[in-house]
Amino acid sequence: MLTYHVELVPTEFALRMRPVFILSLVALMALVIGKFMIRDFWGAISLIFVVLMGLLVITGEYRVNASSACFFAVMAIVMAIFDVISCVLYFQHSKYKVGDPEAPWIVLLAQTVFVVSPVLLTLASLVSYSIFIDCNEHAQELWHRDGGVQSYDSLGVGPAGRAPAGGGPWGQGPAPPGRQAPPPFQGQGRRLDGND
C-alpha cells in the first residue's frame, strides 16, 4: 500500500494566528535572557531549544508549518510542567515571599521569571496546538469532500500534494482525464518456499 506525506495547508485562522505565535516566541526569548540573568543556565538552554522548534513552525513551503506546530505544542507543554516544578521548588527554598518589597531586584526578577515561564509556555503551546488542530481538520474536510479522497491540487488549494494516476492516494476513484488507471494485479501467486 502506498502512503504519501502531504504538508498540511495553513488555513486563514492559522495565518491570522502566525503573528500571535511570533509574539509568543519573542516573549519566550525575553524569558531566555531573564533565565540567563538569574543564572538558571539549564532552564535557559532548554528554553532555547523550545524556541528553535517554534521557529520551524513559521518556516517551510507555506508561512505556517502545521506539523511542526504539533511538535512545538508537545515540547512547550512538557517544558511548562518542568517549570512549574522549578517554580514550586524555588519558592519552597526562598526566604522571600512573592513580591517582598525588602527583596533585592535579582530576587524579584527570579520570582517573575519562575512565575511567568510556565504561563508563557502554556499560552504558546495553546496557540500552536490551535493552529495544528485547525489545519488538520481543514485537511480532513478536503480529503473526504464528495465522499472520495482528493488531492489538494485537484481542489485548487496549492502545490501540497500530487495524486497518483488512479485518482486518490491509493488509486481509488476515477482516473483524471487523459490518464489511465493502472490495472490491478492479474498474475498467479507464488510461495517463497517453492510449494505452489
Tab-separated table of all heavy atoms in Angstrom, residues 127-167:
chain	number	residue	atom	x	y	z
A	127	VAL	N	-1.617	28.228	21.512
A	127	VAL	CA	-1.678	28.872	20.195
A	127	VAL	C	-1.206	27.908	19.119
A	127	VAL	O	-1.845	27.733	18.080
A	127	VAL	CB	-0.835	30.169	20.180
A	127	VAL	CG1	-0.687	30.709	18.769
A	127	VAL	CG2	-1.453	31.221	21.090
A	128	SER	N	-0.092	27.245	19.381
A	128	SER	CA	0.467	26.298	18.418
A	128	SER	C	-0.482	25.133	18.181
A	128	SER	O	-0.702	24.711	17.034
A	128	SER	CB	1.819	25.799	18.937
A	128	SER	OG	2.380	24.881	18.058
A	129	TYR	N	-1.052	24.603	19.243
A	129	TYR	CA	-1.960	23.465	19.091
A	129	TYR	C	-3.230	23.860	18.347
A	129	TYR	O	-3.756	23.079	17.554
A	129	TYR	CB	-2.297	22.889	20.470
A	129	TYR	CG	-3.061	21.591	20.394
A	129	TYR	CD1	-2.438	20.440	19.926
A	129	TYR	CD2	-4.388	21.520	20.774
A	129	TYR	CE1	-3.128	19.245	19.844
A	129	TYR	CE2	-5.094	20.334	20.700
A	129	TYR	CZ	-4.463	19.200	20.229
A	129	TYR	OH	-5.153	18.022	20.146
A	130	SER	N	-3.715	25.082	18.581
A	130	SER	CA	-4.914	25.530	17.856
A	130	SER	C	-4.623	25.653	16.358
A	130	SER	O	-5.475	25.345	15.526
A	130	SER	CB	-5.425	26.857	18.423
A	130	SER	OG	-4.522	27.907	18.141
A	131	ILE	N	-3.403	26.074	16.008
A	131	ILE	CA	-3.008	26.135	14.597
A	131	ILE	C	-3.014	24.731	13.999
A	131	ILE	O	-3.570	24.495	12.918
A	131	ILE	CB	-1.622	26.789	14.450
A	131	ILE	CG1	-1.698	28.286	14.755
A	131	ILE	CG2	-1.051	26.557	13.057
A	131	ILE	CD1	-0.350	28.969	14.847
A	132	PHE	N	-2.409	23.773	14.704
A	132	PHE	CA	-2.343	22.405	14.194
A	132	PHE	C	-3.734	21.803	14.038
A	132	PHE	O	-4.046	21.199	13.007
A	132	PHE	CB	-1.493	21.534	15.127
A	132	PHE	CG	-1.598	20.075	14.818
A	132	PHE	CD1	-0.983	19.554	13.681
A	132	PHE	CD2	-2.323	19.228	15.641
A	132	PHE	CE1	-1.093	18.203	13.386
A	132	PHE	CE2	-2.428	17.880	15.345
A	132	PHE	CZ	-1.813	17.374	14.213
A	133	ILE	N	-4.572	21.937	15.056
A	133	ILE	CA	-5.906	21.340	15.012
A	133	ILE	C	-6.734	21.928	13.872
A	133	ILE	O	-7.407	21.197	13.137
A	133	ILE	CB	-6.627	21.540	16.369
A	133	ILE	CG1	-6.038	20.591	17.405
A	133	ILE	CG2	-8.121	21.313	16.263
A	133	ILE	CD1	-6.260	19.122	17.095
A	134	ASP	N	-6.668	23.244	13.693
A	134	ASP	CA	-7.453	23.869	12.633
A	134	ASP	C	-6.985	23.391	11.259
A	134	ASP	O	-7.803	23.068	10.400
A	134	ASP	CB	-7.357	25.394	12.737
A	134	ASP	CG	-8.374	26.081	11.850
A	134	ASP	OD1	-9.582	25.845	12.049
A	134	ASP	OD2	-7.957	26.822	10.944
A	135	CYS	N	-5.677	23.341	11.047
A	135	CYS	CA	-5.144	22.871	9.756
A	135	CYS	C	-5.479	21.403	9.524
A	135	CYS	O	-5.816	21.002	8.412
A	135	CYS	CB	-3.633	23.082	9.698
A	135	CYS	SG	-3.137	24.808	9.648
A	136	ASN	N	-5.399	20.599	10.572
A	136	ASN	CA	-5.692	19.172	10.445
A	136	ASN	C	-7.165	18.940	10.108
A	136	ASN	O	-7.488	18.118	9.245
A	136	ASN	CB	-5.305	18.449	11.731
A	136	ASN	CG	-5.300	16.952	11.567
A	136	ASN	OD1	-4.911	16.439	10.527
A	136	ASN	ND2	-5.735	16.249	12.589
A	137	GLU	N	-8.061	19.642	10.780
A	137	GLU	CA	-9.486	19.495	10.493
A	137	GLU	C	-9.811	19.959	9.079
A	137	GLU	O	-10.611	19.341	8.376
A	137	GLU	CB	-10.323	20.261	11.517
A	137	GLU	CG	-10.332	19.618	12.883
A	137	GLU	CD	-11.074	20.442	13.915
A	137	GLU	OE1	-11.533	21.559	13.585
A	137	GLU	OE2	-11.181	19.968	15.054
A	138	HIS	N	-9.177	21.041	8.654
A	138	HIS	CA	-9.387	21.541	7.291
A	138	HIS	C	-8.893	20.519	6.269
A	138	HIS	O	-9.542	20.279	5.249
A	138	HIS	CB	-8.662	22.880	7.111
A	138	HIS	CG	-8.853	23.491	5.767
A	138	HIS	ND1	-10.067	23.986	5.340
A	138	HIS	CD2	-7.987	23.685	4.749
A	138	HIS	CE1	-9.941	24.454	4.113
A	138	HIS	NE2	-8.688	24.284	3.725
A	139	ALA	N	-7.749	19.886	6.545
A	139	ALA	CA	-7.212	18.867	5.636
A	139	ALA	C	-8.149	17.666	5.562
A	139	ALA	O	-8.363	17.106	4.480
A	139	ALA	CB	-5.822	18.434	6.086
A	140	GLN	N	-8.725	17.273	6.703
A	140	GLN	CA	-9.666	16.150	6.702
A	140	GLN	C	-10.882	16.465	5.852
A	140	GLN	O	-11.373	15.617	5.112
A	140	GLN	CB	-10.102	15.824	8.139
A	140	GLN	CG	-9.003	15.288	9.019
A	140	GLN	CD	-8.488	13.945	8.562
A	140	GLN	OE1	-9.219	13.154	7.983
A	140	GLN	NE2	-7.216	13.693	8.788
A	141	GLU	N	-11.383	17.702	5.940
A	141	GLU	CA	-12.520	18.098	5.115
A	141	GLU	C	-12.162	18.027	3.635
A	141	GLU	O	-12.967	17.574	2.819
A	141	GLU	CB	-12.963	19.515	5.478
A	141	GLU	CG	-13.608	19.636	6.837
A	141	GLU	CD	-13.875	21.085	7.209
A	141	GLU	OE1	-13.788	21.960	6.329
A	141	GLU	OE2	-14.157	21.335	8.394
A	142	LEU	N	-10.959	18.486	3.291
A	142	LEU	CA	-10.553	18.448	1.884
A	142	LEU	C	-10.424	17.021	1.378
A	142	LEU	O	-10.831	16.709	0.261
A	142	LEU	CB	-9.213	19.177	1.704
A	142	LEU	CG	-9.223	20.687	1.870
A	142	LEU	CD1	-7.814	21.236	1.690
A	142	LEU	CD2	-10.164	21.339	0.881
A	143	TRP	N	-9.852	16.136	2.202
A	143	TRP	CA	-9.617	14.759	1.759
A	143	TRP	C	-10.910	13.968	1.627
A	143	TRP	O	-10.997	13.046	0.828
A	143	TRP	CB	-8.672	14.049	2.717
A	143	TRP	CG	-7.256	14.440	2.502
A	143	TRP	CD1	-6.548	15.345	3.225
A	143	TRP	CD2	-6.367	13.974	1.483
A	143	TRP	NE1	-5.290	15.486	2.726
A	143	TRP	CE2	-5.150	14.642	1.651
A	143	TRP	CE3	-6.499	13.060	0.448
A	143	TRP	CZ2	-4.056	14.429	0.827
A	143	TRP	CZ3	-5.408	12.841	-0.373
A	143	TRP	CH2	-4.203	13.516	-0.181
A	144	HIS	N	-11.895	14.292	2.424
A	144	HIS	CA	-13.125	13.495	2.417
A	144	HIS	C	-14.298	14.200	1.739
A	144	HIS	O	-15.409	13.711	1.823
A	144	HIS	CB	-13.500	13.107	3.847
A	144	HIS	CG	-12.468	12.235	4.486
A	144	HIS	ND1	-12.225	10.947	4.062
A	144	HIS	CD2	-11.589	12.462	5.486
A	144	HIS	CE1	-11.262	10.422	4.784
A	144	HIS	NE2	-10.847	11.319	5.659
A	145	ARG	N	-14.061	15.290	1.087
A	145	ARG	CA	-15.129	16.007	0.406
A	145	ARG	C	-15.669	15.155	-0.739
A	145	ARG	O	-14.940	14.464	-1.414
A	145	ARG	CB	-14.611	17.342	-0.137
A	145	ARG	CG	-15.713	18.185	-0.772
A	145	ARG	CD	-15.167	19.490	-1.249
A	145	ARG	NE	-14.828	20.304	-0.077
A	145	ARG	CZ	-14.124	21.414	-0.147
A	145	ARG	NH1	-13.658	21.828	-1.298
A	145	ARG	NH2	-13.868	22.096	0.938
A	146	ASP	N	-16.952	15.206	-0.948
A	146	ASP	CA	-17.637	14.468	-2.024
A	146	ASP	C	-17.496	12.960	-1.884
A	146	ASP	O	-17.583	12.238	-2.870
A	146	ASP	CB	-17.128	14.904	-3.412
A	146	ASP	CG	-17.351	16.391	-3.652
A	146	ASP	OD1	-18.342	16.922	-3.110
A	146	ASP	OD2	-16.538	16.998	-4.366
A	147	GLY	N	-17.240	12.473	-0.699
A	147	GLY	CA	-17.217	11.046	-0.458
A	147	GLY	C	-15.993	10.323	-0.977
A	147	GLY	O	-15.920	9.114	-0.936
A	148	GLY	N	-15.002	11.008	-1.485
A	148	GLY	CA	-13.808	10.364	-2.010
A	148	GLY	C	-12.580	11.116	-1.584
A	148	GLY	O	-12.636	12.248	-1.145
A	149	VAL	N	-11.441	10.498	-1.716
A	149	VAL	CA	-10.180	11.124	-1.349
A	149	VAL	C	-9.692	11.930	-2.540
A	149	VAL	O	-9.687	11.453	-3.655
A	149	VAL	CB	-9.141	10.061	-0.952
A	149	VAL	CG1	-7.841	10.711	-0.568
A	149	VAL	CG2	-9.680	9.219	0.186
A	150	GLN	N	-9.296	13.173	-2.284
A	150	GLN	CA	-8.834	14.036	-3.348
A	150	GLN	C	-7.508	14.656	-2.955
A	150	GLN	O	-7.162	14.718	-1.795
A	150	GLN	CB	-9.834	15.172	-3.600
A	150	GLN	CG	-11.205	14.695	-4.000
A	150	GLN	CD	-12.130	15.868	-4.250
A	150	GLN	OE1	-11.720	17.007	-4.213
A	150	GLN	NE2	-13.383	15.570	-4.503
A	151	SER	N	-6.785	15.144	-3.941
A	151	SER	CA	-5.536	15.835	-3.649
A	151	SER	C	-5.810	17.322	-3.503
A	151	SER	O	-6.841	17.822	-3.961
A	151	SER	CB	-4.524	15.608	-4.774
A	151	SER	OG	-4.933	16.300	-5.922
A	152	TYR	N	-4.869	18.037	-2.903
A	152	TYR	CA	-5.006	19.475	-2.787
A	152	TYR	C	-5.013	20.129	-4.165
A	152	TYR	O	-5.716	21.091	-4.394
A	152	TYR	CB	-3.852	20.061	-1.964
A	152	TYR	CG	-3.953	19.792	-0.487
A	152	TYR	CD1	-2.900	19.238	0.209
A	152	TYR	CD2	-5.102	20.102	0.212
A	152	TYR	CE1	-2.982	19.005	1.557
A	152	TYR	CE2	-5.203	19.870	1.563
A	152	TYR	CZ	-4.139	19.322	2.228
A	152	TYR	OH	-4.228	19.092	3.568
A	153	ASP	N	-4.205	19.613	-5.087
A	153	ASP	CA	-4.145	20.205	-6.421
A	153	ASP	C	-5.491	20.139	-7.117
A	153	ASP	O	-5.900	21.074	-7.797
A	153	ASP	CB	-3.098	19.498	-7.288
A	153	ASP	CG	-1.689	19.870	-6.897
A	153	ASP	OD1	-1.523	20.931	-6.250
A	153	ASP	OD2	-0.769	19.115	-7.228
A	154	SER	N	-6.195	19.027	-6.958
A	154	SER	CA	-7.474	18.887	-7.639
A	154	SER	C	-8.512	19.841	-7.070
A	154	SER	O	-9.491	20.158	-7.718
A	154	SER	CB	-7.974	17.450	-7.545
A	154	SER	OG	-8.272	17.129	-6.199
A	155	LEU	N	-8.281	20.316	-5.842
A	155	LEU	CA	-9.199	21.270	-5.237
A	155	LEU	C	-8.763	22.715	-5.458
A	155	LEU	O	-9.424	23.635	-5.024
A	155	LEU	CB	-9.314	21.001	-3.738
A	155	LEU	CG	-9.922	19.644	-3.385
A	155	LEU	CD1	-9.758	19.359	-1.908
A	155	LEU	CD2	-11.379	19.604	-3.781
A	156	GLY	N	-7.595	22.892	-6.099
A	156	GLY	CA	-7.118	24.245	-6.364
A	156	GLY	C	-6.535	24.930	-5.160
A	156	GLY	O	-6.482	26.150	-5.094
A	157	VAL	N	-6.088	24.174	-4.165
A	157	VAL	CA	-5.566	24.775	-2.939
A	157	VAL	C	-4.107	25.161	-3.087
A	157	VAL	O	-3.663	26.159	-2.578
A	157	VAL	CB	-5.771	23.814	-1.750
A	157	VAL	CG1	-5.140	24.371	-0.497
A	157	VAL	CG2	-7.242	23.581	-1.545
A	158	GLY	N	-3.318	24.354	-3.764
A	158	GLY	CA	-1.909	24.687	-3.900
A	158	GLY	C	-1.083	23.453	-4.149
A	158	GLY	O	-1.608	22.354	-4.276
A	159	PRO	N	0.234	23.626	-4.201
A	159	PRO	CA	1.117	22.509	-4.539
A	159	PRO	C	1.448	21.632	-3.345
A	159	PRO	O	2.591	21.325	-3.088
A	159	PRO	CB	2.367	23.221	-5.056
A	159	PRO	CG	2.410	24.471	-4.249
A	159	PRO	CD	0.968	24.873	-4.053
A	160	ALA	N	0.436	21.240	-2.582
A	160	ALA	CA	0.725	20.490	-1.364
A	160	ALA	C	0.963	19.015	-1.623
A	160	ALA	O	1.752	18.381	-0.959
A	160	ALA	CB	-0.438	20.645	-0.388
A	161	GLY	N	0.273	18.441	-2.556
A	161	GLY	CA	0.434	17.013	-2.788
A	161	GLY	C	0.015	16.649	-4.186
A	161	GLY	O	-0.739	17.373	-4.821
A	162	ARG	N	0.458	15.554	-4.677
A	162	ARG	CA	0.131	15.099	-6.015
A	162	ARG	C	-0.575	13.756	-5.916
A	162	ARG	O	-0.070	12.836	-5.288
A	162	ARG	CB	1.406	14.926	-6.842
A	162	ARG	CG	2.240	16.176	-6.894
A	162	ARG	CD	1.938	16.922	-8.174
A	162	ARG	NE	2.810	18.085	-8.288
A	162	ARG	CZ	2.388	19.318	-8.139
A	162	ARG	NH1	1.155	19.561	-7.838
A	162	ARG	NH2	3.219	20.322	-8.287
A	163	ALA	N	-1.734	13.657	-6.533
A	163	ALA	CA	-2.451	12.390	-6.543
A	163	ALA	C	-1.874	11.508	-7.633
A	163	ALA	O	-1.548	11.980	-8.708
A	163	ALA	CB	-3.938	12.627	-6.802
A	164	PRO	N	-1.707	10.224	-7.371
A	164	PRO	CA	-1.226	9.341	-8.411
A	164	PRO	C	-2.271	9.132	-9.490
A	164	PRO	O	-3.396	9.605	-9.371
A	164	PRO	CB	-0.913	8.045	-7.668
A	164	PRO	CG	-1.712	8.096	-6.432
A	164	PRO	CD	-1.879	9.541	-6.094
A	165	ALA	N	-1.914	8.372	-10.504
A	165	ALA	CA	-2.753	8.240	-11.681
A	165	ALA	C	-4.127	7.672	-11.376
A	165	ALA	O	-5.064	7.917	-12.100
A	165	ALA	CB	-2.053	7.360	-12.719
A	166	GLY	N	-4.271	6.912	-10.334
A	166	GLY	CA	-5.546	6.272	-10.046
A	166	GLY	C	-6.552	7.165	-9.377
A	166	GLY	O	-7.599	6.718	-8.962
A	167	GLY	N	-6.315	8.426	-9.238
A	167	GLY	CA	-7.248	9.329	-8.588
A	167	GLY	C	-6.741	9.706	-7.223
A	167	GLY	O	-5.970	10.622	-7.073
